[in-house]
Amino acid sequence: PPAPQEVVAMGVIAPLSGRDARLGRAIELGVKAALPEGWTLQVADEVAGLPAALQTLQQSGVRVVIGPL
């Protein structure tokens, strides 16, 4: 586990727009609730395509990615 003062950025690729947007928001809330202290969450829309979503998360400093879901 990271040192207590270290912030770990985690990314999730989920549907945030389109017909599955409600599911994507539910996934986001569930992951946020389960994050350990000192972790932050960045969510990228899978509707934009996997390469674009990964690039967005990498540019945000994400170290761990879950998805696409």
Side-chain angles (χ1 to χ4, degrees):
Q5 70 276 8
E6 183 180 3
V7 174
V8 177
M10 178 176 176
V12 172
I13 300 173
L16 299 179
S17 60
R19 70 171 206 254
D20 293 326
R22 279 183 73 180
L23 174 62
R25 292 297 176 194
I27 291 169
E28 177 182 5
L29 292 174
V31 172
K32 272 186 183 177
L35 283 180
E37 188 176 323
W39 287 51
T40 63
L41 182 65
Q42 299 289 326
V43 184
D45 193 354
E46 72 179 24
V47 175
L50 185 56
L54 283 172
Q55 183 177 20
T56 296
L57 293 175
Q58 288 174 336
Q59 289 173 346
S60 298
V62 167
R63 292 176 44 190
V64 179
V65 176
I66 297 175
L69 301 173

